[in-house]
PDB file of all heavy atoms in Angstrom:
ATOM      1  N   THR A1117      -0.675 -10.332  22.640  1.00 93.00           N
ATOM      2  CA  THR A1117      -0.356 -11.621  23.149  1.00 93.00           C
ATOM      3  C   THR A1117      -0.889 -12.713  22.217  1.00 93.00           C
ATOM      4  O   THR A1117      -0.645 -13.912  22.479  1.00 93.00           O
ATOM      5  CB  THR A1117      -0.980 -11.863  24.540  1.00 93.00           C
ATOM      6  OG1 THR A1117      -2.387 -11.929  24.498  1.00 93.00           O
ATOM      7  CG2 THR A1117      -0.483 -10.765  25.475  1.00 93.00           C
ATOM      8  N   ASP A1118      -1.549 -12.446  21.189  1.00 95.00           N
ATOM      9  CA  ASP A1118      -2.095 -13.368  20.232  1.00 95.00           C
ATOM     10  C   ASP A1118      -0.993 -13.706  19.224  1.00 95.00           C
ATOM     11  O   ASP A1118      -0.788 -13.002  18.265  1.00 95.00           O
ATOM     12  CB  ASP A1118      -3.361 -12.797  19.511  1.00 95.00           C
ATOM     13  CG  ASP A1118      -3.943 -13.777  18.558  1.00 95.00           C
ATOM     14  OD1 ASP A1118      -3.426 -14.896  18.410  1.00 95.00           O
ATOM     15  OD2 ASP A1118      -5.070 -13.505  17.933  1.00 95.00           O
ATOM     16  N   LEU A1119      -0.416 -14.884  19.396  1.00 97.00           N
ATOM     17  CA  LEU A1119       0.752 -15.194  18.517  1.00 97.00           C
ATOM     18  C   LEU A1119       0.379 -15.449  17.076  1.00 97.00           C
ATOM     19  O   LEU A1119       1.191 -15.384  16.137  1.00 97.00           O
ATOM     20  CB  LEU A1119       1.389 -16.421  19.159  1.00 97.00           C
ATOM     21  CG  LEU A1119       2.051 -16.271  20.442  1.00 97.00           C
ATOM     22  CD1 LEU A1119       2.577 -17.585  20.991  1.00 97.00           C
ATOM     23  CD2 LEU A1119       3.198 -15.259  20.430  1.00 97.00           C
ATOM     24  N   THR A1120      -0.925 -15.721  16.855  1.00 97.00           N
ATOM     25  CA  THR A1120      -1.338 -15.981  15.409  1.00 97.00           C
ATOM     26  C   THR A1120      -1.306 -14.599  14.623  1.00 97.00           C
ATOM     27  O   THR A1120      -1.511 -14.530  13.516  1.00 97.00           O
ATOM     28  CB  THR A1120      -2.717 -16.526  15.297  1.00 97.00           C
ATOM     29  OG1 THR A1120      -3.693 -15.637  15.797  1.00 97.00           O
ATOM     30  CG2 THR A1120      -2.732 -17.858  15.993  1.00 97.00           C
ATOM     31  N   ARG A1121      -1.155 -13.417  15.317  1.00 97.00           N
ATOM     32  CA  ARG A1121      -1.090 -12.108  14.735  1.00 97.00           C
ATOM     33  C   ARG A1121       0.419 -11.719  14.418  1.00 97.00           C
ATOM     34  O   ARG A1121       0.649 -10.641  13.966  1.00 97.00           O
ATOM     35  CB  ARG A1121      -1.698 -11.046  15.615  1.00 97.00           C
ATOM     36  CG  ARG A1121      -3.138 -11.090  15.717  1.00 97.00           C
ATOM     37  CD  ARG A1121      -3.682 -10.202  16.781  1.00 97.00           C
ATOM     38  NE  ARG A1121      -3.229  -8.829  16.739  1.00 97.00           N
ATOM     39  CZ  ARG A1121      -3.746  -7.832  16.006  1.00 97.00           C
ATOM     40  NH1 ARG A1121      -4.800  -8.144  15.215  1.00 97.00           N
ATOM     41  NH2 ARG A1121      -3.327  -6.667  15.980  1.00 97.00           N
ATOM     42  N   ARG A1122       1.315 -12.625  14.706  1.00 97.00           N
ATOM     43  CA  ARG A1122       2.745 -12.278  14.518  1.00 97.00           C
ATOM     44  C   ARG A1122       3.104 -11.910  13.043  1.00 97.00           C
ATOM     45  O   ARG A1122       2.431 -12.417  12.079  1.00 97.00           O
ATOM     46  CB  ARG A1122       3.656 -13.375  14.941  1.00 97.00           C
ATOM     47  CG  ARG A1122       3.638 -14.633  14.139  1.00 97.00           C
ATOM     48  CD  ARG A1122       4.345 -15.821  14.926  1.00 97.00           C
ATOM     49  NE  ARG A1122       4.575 -17.002  14.103  1.00 97.00           N
ATOM     50  CZ  ARG A1122       4.896 -18.204  14.504  1.00 97.00           C
ATOM     51  NH1 ARG A1122       5.269 -18.365  15.864  1.00 97.00           N
ATOM     52  NH2 ARG A1122       5.026 -19.130  13.730  1.00 97.00           N
ATOM     53  N   GLY A1123       4.076 -11.078  12.863  1.00 97.00           N
ATOM     54  CA  GLY A1123       4.607 -10.840  11.524  1.00 97.00           C
ATOM     55  C   GLY A1123       3.726  -9.847  10.719  1.00 97.00           C
ATOM     56  O   GLY A1123       3.902  -9.788   9.490  1.00 97.00           O
ATOM     57  N   ARG A1124       2.860  -9.032  11.348  1.00 96.00           N
ATOM     58  CA  ARG A1124       1.916  -8.166  10.547  1.00 96.00           C
ATOM     59  C   ARG A1124       2.269  -6.703  10.863  1.00 96.00           C
ATOM     60  O   ARG A1124       2.912  -6.363  11.786  1.00 96.00           O
ATOM     61  CB  ARG A1124       0.464  -8.348  11.113  1.00 96.00           C
ATOM     62  CG  ARG A1124      -0.026  -9.700  11.358  1.00 96.00           C
ATOM     63  CD  ARG A1124      -0.335 -10.575  10.066  1.00 96.00           C
ATOM     64  NE  ARG A1124      -1.519 -11.299  10.344  1.00 96.00           N
ATOM     65  CZ  ARG A1124      -1.482 -12.400  10.963  1.00 96.00           C
ATOM     66  NH1 ARG A1124      -0.332 -12.851  11.541  1.00 96.00           N
ATOM     67  NH2 ARG A1124      -2.532 -13.201  11.062  1.00 96.00           N
ATOM     68  N   ARG A1125       1.634  -5.877   9.994  1.00 98.00           N
ATOM     69  CA  ARG A1125       1.408  -4.433  10.330  1.00 98.00           C
ATOM     70  C   ARG A1125      -0.059  -4.269  10.530  1.00 98.00           C
ATOM     71  O   ARG A1125      -0.842  -5.043   9.896  1.00 98.00           O
ATOM     72  CB  ARG A1125       1.961  -3.519   9.301  1.00 98.00           C
ATOM     73  CG  ARG A1125       3.462  -3.514   9.126  1.00 98.00           C
ATOM     74  CD  ARG A1125       4.002  -2.353   8.272  1.00 98.00           C
ATOM     75  NE  ARG A1125       3.657  -2.513   6.871  1.00 98.00           N
ATOM     76  CZ  ARG A1125       3.784  -1.552   5.922  1.00 98.00           C
ATOM     77  NH1 ARG A1125       4.151  -0.301   6.317  1.00 98.00           N
ATOM     78  NH2 ARG A1125       3.586  -1.891   4.754  1.00 98.00           N
ATOM     79  N   SER A1126      -0.477  -3.298  11.314  1.00 97.00           N
ATOM     80  CA  SER A1126      -1.838  -3.054  11.581  1.00 97.00           C
ATOM     81  C   SER A1126      -2.330  -1.765  11.310  1.00 97.00           C
ATOM     82  O   SER A1126      -1.653  -0.680  11.595  1.00 97.00           O
ATOM     83  CB  SER A1126      -2.074  -3.389  13.117  1.00 97.00           C
ATOM     84  OG  SER A1126      -3.410  -2.967  13.454  1.00 97.00           O
ATOM     85  N   ILE A1127      -3.497  -1.652  10.678  1.00 98.00           N
ATOM     86  CA  ILE A1127      -4.215  -0.324  10.556  1.00 98.00           C
ATOM     87  C   ILE A1127      -5.585  -0.515  11.191  1.00 98.00           C
ATOM     88  O   ILE A1127      -6.223  -1.495  10.965  1.00 98.00           O
ATOM     89  CB  ILE A1127      -4.342  -0.024   8.966  1.00 98.00           C
ATOM     90  CG1 ILE A1127      -5.134   1.311   8.777  1.00 98.00           C
ATOM     91  CG2 ILE A1127      -4.956  -1.078   8.261  1.00 98.00           C
ATOM     92  CD1 ILE A1127      -5.092   1.839   7.374  1.00 98.00           C
ATOM     93  N   ALA A1128      -6.004   0.454  11.968  1.00 97.00           N
ATOM     94  CA  ALA A1128      -7.285   0.431  12.637  1.00 97.00           C
ATOM     95  C   ALA A1128      -8.346   1.167  11.841  1.00 97.00           C
ATOM     96  O   ALA A1128      -8.107   2.380  11.570  1.00 97.00           O
ATOM     97  CB  ALA A1128      -7.192   0.941  14.026  1.00 97.00           C
ATOM     98  N   VAL A1129      -9.345   0.512  11.355  1.00 97.00           N
ATOM     99  CA  VAL A1129     -10.383   1.131  10.505  1.00 97.00           C
ATOM    100  C   VAL A1129     -11.713   0.773  11.024  1.00 97.00           C
ATOM    101  O   VAL A1129     -12.048  -0.338  11.400  1.00 97.00           O
ATOM    102  CB  VAL A1129     -10.274   0.510   8.994  1.00 97.00           C
ATOM    103  CG1 VAL A1129     -11.344   1.123   8.132  1.00 97.00           C
ATOM    104  CG2 VAL A1129      -8.867   0.765   8.503  1.00 97.00           C
ATOM    105  N   ASP A1130     -12.652   1.777  11.088  1.00 96.00           N
ATOM    106  CA  ASP A1130     -14.046   1.576  11.481  1.00 96.00           C
ATOM    107  C   ASP A1130     -14.769   1.259  10.178  1.00 96.00           C
ATOM    108  O   ASP A1130     -15.024   2.220   9.360  1.00 96.00           O
ATOM    109  CB  ASP A1130     -14.566   2.767  12.107  1.00 96.00           C
ATOM    110  CG  ASP A1130     -16.067   2.744  12.539  1.00 96.00           C
ATOM    111  OD1 ASP A1130     -16.594   1.700  12.272  1.00 96.00           O
ATOM    112  OD2 ASP A1130     -16.586   3.642  13.124  1.00 96.00           O
ATOM    113  N   LEU A1131     -15.126  -0.003   9.945  1.00 94.00           N
ATOM    114  CA  LEU A1131     -15.691  -0.438   8.573  1.00 94.00           C
ATOM    115  C   LEU A1131     -17.081   0.158   8.574  1.00 94.00           C
ATOM    116  O   LEU A1131     -17.657  -0.001   7.436  1.00 94.00           O
ATOM    117  CB  LEU A1131     -15.683  -1.972   8.614  1.00 94.00           C
ATOM    118  CG  LEU A1131     -14.375  -2.612   8.624  1.00 94.00           C
ATOM    119  CD1 LEU A1131     -14.473  -4.080   8.554  1.00 94.00           C
ATOM    120  CD2 LEU A1131     -13.537  -2.145   7.474  1.00 94.00           C
ATOM    121  N   LYS A1132     -17.771   0.650   9.556  1.00 92.00           N
ATOM    122  CA  LYS A1132     -19.029   1.247   9.537  1.00 92.00           C
ATOM    123  C   LYS A1132     -19.055   2.689   9.231  1.00 92.00           C
ATOM    124  O   LYS A1132     -20.108   3.324   9.100  1.00 92.00           O
ATOM    125  CB  LYS A1132     -19.801   0.920  10.746  1.00 92.00           C
ATOM    126  CG  LYS A1132     -20.063  -0.583  10.984  1.00 92.00           C
ATOM    127  CD  LYS A1132     -20.825  -0.859  12.330  1.00 92.00           C
ATOM    128  CE  LYS A1132     -20.952  -2.352  12.574  1.00 92.00           C
ATOM    129  NZ  LYS A1132     -21.727  -2.587  13.800  1.00 92.00           N
ATOM    130  N   SER A1133     -17.886   3.318   9.211  1.00 91.00           N
ATOM    131  CA  SER A1133     -17.723   4.719   8.939  1.00 91.00           C
ATOM    132  C   SER A1133     -17.848   5.104   7.517  1.00 91.00           C
ATOM    133  O   SER A1133     -17.745   4.218   6.591  1.00 91.00           O
ATOM    134  CB  SER A1133     -16.432   5.251   9.546  1.00 91.00           C
ATOM    135  OG  SER A1133     -15.380   4.751   8.746  1.00 91.00           O
ATOM    136  N   VAL A1134     -18.002   6.428   7.274  1.00 83.00           N
ATOM    137  CA  VAL A1134     -18.108   6.887   5.933  1.00 83.00           C
ATOM    138  C   VAL A1134     -16.885   6.608   5.005  1.00 83.00           C
ATOM    139  O   VAL A1134     -17.046   6.122   3.903  1.00 83.00           O
ATOM    140  CB  VAL A1134     -18.377   8.390   5.890  1.00 83.00           C
ATOM    141  CG1 VAL A1134     -18.383   8.966   4.448  1.00 83.00           C
ATOM    142  CG2 VAL A1134     -19.562   8.741   6.631  1.00 83.00           C
ATOM    143  N   GLY A1135     -15.644   6.792   5.627  1.00 94.00           N
ATOM    144  CA  GLY A1135     -14.465   6.527   4.915  1.00 94.00           C
ATOM    145  C   GLY A1135     -13.868   5.141   5.047  1.00 94.00           C
ATOM    146  O   GLY A1135     -12.842   4.964   4.321  1.00 94.00           O
ATOM    147  N   GLY A1136     -14.358   4.348   5.923  1.00 96.00           N
ATOM    148  CA  GLY A1136     -13.673   3.100   6.205  1.00 96.00           C
ATOM    149  C   GLY A1136     -13.630   2.101   5.076  1.00 96.00           C
ATOM    150  O   GLY A1136     -12.626   1.495   4.818  1.00 96.00           O
ATOM    151  N   ALA A1137     -14.741   1.970   4.347  1.00 97.00           N
ATOM    152  CA  ALA A1137     -14.683   1.008   3.157  1.00 97.00           C
ATOM    153  C   ALA A1137     -13.701   1.501   2.145  1.00 97.00           C
ATOM    154  O   ALA A1137     -13.057   0.648   1.594  1.00 97.00           O
ATOM    155  CB  ALA A1137     -16.138   1.047   2.586  1.00 97.00           C
ATOM    156  N   GLU A1138     -13.650   2.786   1.938  1.00 97.00           N
ATOM    157  CA  GLU A1138     -12.679   3.273   0.909  1.00 97.00           C
ATOM    158  C   GLU A1138     -11.343   2.965   1.334  1.00 97.00           C
ATOM    159  O   GLU A1138     -10.408   2.618   0.434  1.00 97.00           O
ATOM    160  CB  GLU A1138     -12.947   4.735   0.725  1.00 97.00           C
ATOM    161  CG  GLU A1138     -11.893   5.445  -0.286  1.00 97.00           C
ATOM    162  CD  GLU A1138     -11.910   4.812  -1.703  1.00 97.00           C
ATOM    163  OE1 GLU A1138     -13.016   4.222  -2.119  1.00 97.00           O
ATOM    164  OE2 GLU A1138     -10.904   4.914  -2.426  1.00 97.00           O
ATOM    165  N   VAL A1139     -11.000   3.040   2.573  1.00 98.00           N
ATOM    166  CA  VAL A1139      -9.601   2.707   3.000  1.00 98.00           C
ATOM    167  C   VAL A1139      -9.223   1.301   2.610  1.00 98.00           C
ATOM    168  O   VAL A1139      -8.195   0.953   2.148  1.00 98.00           O
ATOM    169  CB  VAL A1139      -9.428   2.977   4.544  1.00 98.00           C
ATOM    170  CG1 VAL A1139      -8.119   2.394   5.046  1.00 98.00           C
ATOM    171  CG2 VAL A1139      -9.495   4.482   4.872  1.00 98.00           C
ATOM    172  N   VAL A1140     -10.167   0.451   2.950  1.00 98.00           N
ATOM    173  CA  VAL A1140      -9.975  -1.014   2.763  1.00 98.00           C
ATOM    174  C   VAL A1140      -9.882  -1.276   1.147  1.00 98.00           C
ATOM    175  O   VAL A1140      -9.035  -2.024   0.782  1.00 98.00           O
ATOM    176  CB  VAL A1140     -11.079  -1.815   3.362  1.00 98.00           C
ATOM    177  CG1 VAL A1140     -10.913  -3.420   2.929  1.00 98.00           C
ATOM    178  CG2 VAL A1140     -11.086  -1.789   4.866  1.00 98.00           C
ATOM    179  N   LEU A1141     -10.753  -0.603   0.400  1.00 98.00           N
ATOM    180  CA  LEU A1141     -10.623  -0.782  -1.013  1.00 98.00           C
ATOM    181  C   LEU A1141      -9.291  -0.388  -1.602  1.00 98.00           C
ATOM    182  O   LEU A1141      -8.792  -0.911  -2.501  1.00 98.00           O
ATOM    183  CB  LEU A1141     -11.807  -0.050  -1.660  1.00 98.00           C
ATOM    184  CG  LEU A1141     -13.222  -0.698  -1.476  1.00 98.00           C
ATOM    185  CD1 LEU A1141     -14.283   0.274  -2.008  1.00 98.00           C
ATOM    186  CD2 LEU A1141     -13.271  -2.068  -2.062  1.00 98.00           C
ATOM    187  N   ARG A1142      -8.830   0.745  -1.049  1.00 98.00           N
ATOM    188  CA  ARG A1142      -7.479   1.227  -1.590  1.00 98.00           C
ATOM    189  C   ARG A1142      -6.342   0.244  -1.100  1.00 98.00           C
ATOM    190  O   ARG A1142      -5.465  -0.058  -1.847  1.00 98.00           O
ATOM    191  CB  ARG A1142      -7.131   2.569  -0.930  1.00 98.00           C
ATOM    192  CG  ARG A1142      -7.936   3.680  -1.586  1.00 98.00           C
ATOM    193  CD  ARG A1142      -7.162   5.035  -1.501  1.00 98.00           C
ATOM    194  NE  ARG A1142      -8.074   6.216  -1.679  1.00 98.00           N
ATOM    195  CZ  ARG A1142      -7.599   7.439  -1.668  1.00 98.00           C
ATOM    196  NH1 ARG A1142      -6.267   7.687  -1.457  1.00 98.00           N
ATOM    197  NH2 ARG A1142      -8.460   8.426  -1.865  1.00 98.00           N
ATOM    198  N   LEU A1143      -6.476  -0.286   0.119  1.00 98.00           N
ATOM    199  CA  LEU A1143      -5.491  -1.277   0.541  1.00 98.00           C
ATOM    200  C   LEU A1143      -5.533  -2.555  -0.424  1.00 98.00           C
ATOM    201  O   LEU A1143      -4.540  -3.069  -0.827  1.00 98.00           O
ATOM    202  CB  LEU A1143      -5.718  -1.697   1.928  1.00 98.00           C
ATOM    203  CG  LEU A1143      -5.416  -0.704   3.014  1.00 98.00           C
ATOM    204  CD1 LEU A1143      -6.043  -1.084   4.369  1.00 98.00           C
ATOM    205  CD2 LEU A1143      -3.894  -0.581   3.129  1.00 98.00           C
ATOM    206  N   ALA A1144      -6.847  -2.980  -0.700  1.00 98.00           N
ATOM    207  CA  ALA A1144      -7.009  -4.161  -1.520  1.00 98.00           C
ATOM    208  C   ALA A1144      -6.561  -3.934  -2.957  1.00 98.00           C
ATOM    209  O   ALA A1144      -6.056  -4.887  -3.544  1.00 98.00           O
ATOM    210  CB  ALA A1144      -8.507  -4.572  -1.544  1.00 98.00           C
ATOM    211  N   ALA A1145      -6.547  -2.711  -3.405  1.00 98.00           N
ATOM    212  CA  ALA A1145      -6.037  -2.397  -4.782  1.00 98.00           C
ATOM    213  C   ALA A1145      -4.563  -2.593  -4.872  1.00 98.00           C
ATOM    214  O   ALA A1145      -3.993  -2.846  -6.011  1.00 98.00           O
ATOM    215  CB  ALA A1145      -6.437  -1.033  -5.145  1.00 98.00           C
ATOM    216  N   SER A1146      -3.968  -2.649  -3.699  1.00 96.00           N
ATOM    217  CA  SER A1146      -2.383  -2.777  -3.678  1.00 96.00           C
ATOM    218  C   SER A1146      -1.991  -4.213  -3.460  1.00 96.00           C
ATOM    219  O   SER A1146      -0.776  -4.470  -3.299  1.00 96.00           O
ATOM    220  CB  SER A1146      -1.818  -1.763  -2.700  1.00 96.00           C
ATOM    221  OG  SER A1146      -2.074  -2.236  -1.408  1.00 96.00           O
ATOM    222  N   ALA A1147      -2.940  -5.063  -3.202  1.00 98.00           N
ATOM    223  CA  ALA A1147      -2.585  -6.475  -2.777  1.00 98.00           C
ATOM    224  C   ALA A1147      -2.998  -7.523  -3.796  1.00 98.00           C
ATOM    225  O   ALA A1147      -3.713  -7.256  -4.798  1.00 98.00           O
ATOM    226  CB  ALA A1147      -3.325  -6.731  -1.446  1.00 98.00           C
ATOM    227  N   GLU A1148      -2.459  -8.714  -3.540  1.00 98.00           N
ATOM    228  CA  GLU A1148      -2.868  -9.886  -4.407  1.00 98.00           C
ATOM    229  C   GLU A1148      -3.891 -10.772  -3.710  1.00 98.00           C
ATOM    230  O   GLU A1148      -4.448 -11.637  -4.431  1.00 98.00           O
ATOM    231  CB  GLU A1148      -1.576 -10.726  -4.683  1.00 98.00           C
ATOM    232  CG  GLU A1148      -0.626 -10.064  -5.630  1.00 98.00           C
ATOM    233  CD  GLU A1148       0.535 -11.042  -6.065  1.00 98.00           C
ATOM    234  OE1 GLU A1148       0.359 -11.805  -6.936  1.00 98.00           O
ATOM    235  OE2 GLU A1148       1.612 -11.017  -5.324  1.00 98.00           O
ATOM    236  N   ALA A1149      -4.055 -10.618  -2.434  1.00 98.00           N
ATOM    237  CA  ALA A1149      -5.015 -11.480  -1.731  1.00 98.00           C
ATOM    238  C   ALA A1149      -5.668 -10.748  -0.511  1.00 98.00           C
ATOM    239  O   ALA A1149      -5.129  -9.853  -0.010  1.00 98.00           O
ATOM    240  CB  ALA A1149      -4.308 -12.729  -1.250  1.00 98.00           C
ATOM    241  N   LEU A1150      -6.832 -11.148  -0.205  1.00 98.00           N
ATOM    242  CA  LEU A1150      -7.533 -10.668   0.932  1.00 98.00           C
ATOM    243  C   LEU A1150      -8.170 -11.833   1.747  1.00 98.00           C
ATOM    244  O   LEU A1150      -8.656 -12.739   1.175  1.00 98.00           O
ATOM    245  CB  LEU A1150      -8.653  -9.638   0.514  1.00 98.00           C
ATOM    246  CG  LEU A1150      -9.492  -8.973   1.580  1.00 98.00           C
ATOM    247  CD1 LEU A1150      -9.855  -7.614   1.218  1.00 98.00           C
ATOM    248  CD2 LEU A1150     -10.717  -9.802   1.920  1.00 98.00           C
ATOM    249  N   ILE A1151      -8.185 -11.701   3.078  1.00 98.00           N
ATOM    250  CA  ILE A1151      -8.641 -12.712   3.913  1.00 98.00           C
ATOM    251  C   ILE A1151      -9.729 -12.109   4.725  1.00 98.00           C
ATOM    252  O   ILE A1151      -9.633 -11.034   5.383  1.00 98.00           O
ATOM    253  CB  ILE A1151      -7.627 -13.176   5.032  1.00 98.00           C
ATOM    254  CG1 ILE A1151      -6.430 -14.024   4.221  1.00 98.00           C
ATOM    255  CG2 ILE A1151      -8.173 -14.040   5.998  1.00 98.00           C
ATOM    256  CD1 ILE A1151      -5.289 -14.328   5.042  1.00 98.00           C
ATOM    257  N   GLU A1152     -10.953 -12.728   4.897  1.00 98.00           N
ATOM    258  CA  GLU A1152     -12.026 -12.381   5.735  1.00 98.00           C
ATOM    259  C   GLU A1152     -12.681 -13.582   6.283  1.00 98.00           C
ATOM    260  O   GLU A1152     -12.774 -14.631   5.605  1.00 98.00           O
ATOM    261  CB  GLU A1152     -13.023 -11.452   5.079  1.00 98.00           C
ATOM    262  CG  GLU A1152     -13.847 -12.037   3.979  1.00 98.00           C
ATOM    263  CD  GLU A1152     -15.196 -12.524   4.395  1.00 98.00           C
ATOM    264  OE1 GLU A1152     -15.502 -12.368   5.728  1.00 98.00           O
ATOM    265  OE2 GLU A1152     -15.971 -12.911   3.625  1.00 98.00           O
ATOM    266  N   GLY A1153     -13.229 -13.470   7.435  1.00 97.00           N
ATOM    267  CA  GLY A1153     -13.804 -14.587   8.167  1.00 97.00           C
ATOM    268  C   GLY A1153     -15.116 -14.350   8.795  1.00 97.00           C
ATOM    269  O   GLY A1153     -15.446 -14.947   9.905  1.00 97.00           O
ATOM    270  N   PHE A1154     -16.109 -13.531   8.187  1.00 97.00           N
ATOM    271  CA  PHE A1154     -17.338 -13.255   8.676  1.00 97.00           C
ATOM    272  C   PHE A1154     -18.372 -14.088   8.153  1.00 97.00           C
ATOM    273  O   PHE A1154     -18.250 -14.751   7.146  1.00 97.00           O
ATOM    274  CB  PHE A1154     -17.627 -11.698   8.556  1.00 97.00           C
ATOM    275  CG  PHE A1154     -16.650 -10.813   9.263  1.00 97.00           C
ATOM    276  CD1 PHE A1154     -15.639 -10.233   8.478  1.00 97.00           C
ATOM    277  CD2 PHE A1154     -16.745 -10.619  10.598  1.00 97.00           C
ATOM    278  CE1 PHE A1154     -14.750  -9.409   9.164  1.00 97.00           C
ATOM    279  CE2 PHE A1154     -15.880  -9.793  11.194  1.00 97.00           C
ATOM    280  CZ  PHE A1154     -14.870  -9.172  10.516  1.00 97.00           C
ATOM    281  N   ARG A1155     -19.623 -13.985   8.709  1.00 96.00           N
ATOM    282  CA  ARG A1155     -20.721 -14.674   8.090  1.00 96.00           C
ATOM    283  C   ARG A1155     -21.030 -14.110   6.739  1.00 96.00           C
ATOM    284  O   ARG A1155     -20.744 -13.006   6.448  1.00 96.00           O
ATOM    285  CB  ARG A1155     -21.978 -14.575   8.936  1.00 96.00           C
ATOM    286  CG  ARG A1155     -21.976 -15.217  10.320  1.00 96.00           C
ATOM    287  CD  ARG A1155     -23.339 -15.263  10.962  1.00 96.00           C
ATOM    288  NE  ARG A1155     -23.352 -15.141  12.339  1.00 96.00           N
ATOM    289  CZ  ARG A1155     -24.422 -15.484  13.112  1.00 96.00           C
ATOM    290  NH1 ARG A1155     -25.541 -15.779  12.586  1.00 96.00           N
ATOM    291  NH2 ARG A1155     -24.254 -15.329  14.434  1.00 96.00           N
ATOM    292  N   PRO A1156     -21.569 -14.963   5.834  1.00 97.00           N
ATOM    293  CA  PRO A1156     -21.836 -14.496   4.481  1.00 97.00           C
ATOM    294  C   PRO A1156     -22.702 -13.183   4.532  1.00 97.00           C
ATOM    295  O   PRO A1156     -23.700 -13.082   5.322  1.00 97.00           O
ATOM    296  CB  PRO A1156     -22.732 -15.602   3.894  1.00 97.00           C
ATOM    297  CG  PRO A1156     -22.098 -16.856   4.561  1.00 97.00           C
ATOM    298  CD  PRO A1156     -21.907 -16.345   6.026  1.00 97.00           C
ATOM    299  N   GLY A1157     -22.364 -12.187   3.767  1.00 96.00           N
ATOM    300  CA  GLY A1157     -23.116 -10.998   3.731  1.00 96.00           C
ATOM    301  C   GLY A1157     -22.597  -9.871   4.443  1.00 96.00           C
ATOM    302  O   GLY A1157     -22.870  -8.669   4.250  1.00 96.00           O
ATOM    303  N   VAL A1158     -21.730 -10.095   5.498  1.00 96.00           N
ATOM    304  CA  VAL A1158     -21.268  -9.018   6.350  1.00 96.00           C
ATOM    305  C   VAL A1158     -20.329  -8.085   5.574  1.00 96.00           C
ATOM    306  O   VAL A1158     -20.475  -6.846   5.591  1.00 96.00           O
ATOM    307  CB  VAL A1158     -20.497  -9.602   7.569  1.00 96.00           C
ATOM    308  CG1 VAL A1158     -19.741  -8.529   8.387  1.00 96.00           C
ATOM    309  CG2 VAL A1158     -21.469 -10.357   8.521  1.00 96.00           C
ATOM    310  N   MET A1159     -19.500  -8.632   4.839  1.00 97.00           N
ATOM    311  CA  MET A1159     -18.541  -7.791   4.061  1.00 97.00           C
ATOM    312  C   MET A1159     -19.246  -6.985   2.875  1.00 97.00           C
ATOM    313  O   MET A1159     -18.962  -5.865   2.641  1.00 97.00           O
ATOM    314  CB  MET A1159     -17.416  -8.639   3.407  1.00 97.00           C
ATOM    315  CG  MET A1159     -16.489  -9.315   4.444  1.00 97.00           C
ATOM    316  SD  MET A1159     -15.319  -8.046   5.248  1.00 97.00           S
ATOM    317  CE  MET A1159     -14.146  -8.025   4.040  1.00 97.00           C
TER     318      MET A1159
END
């Protein structure tokens, strides 16, 4: 119901898991930009 999420595809990743970071890094390797909105240091 969150309209600001419109127009996306979604992948569910546990960023604290062993393989989670690698999944995001592979996705990022295929992209031109990345968006994150956490406090400094979280990522």
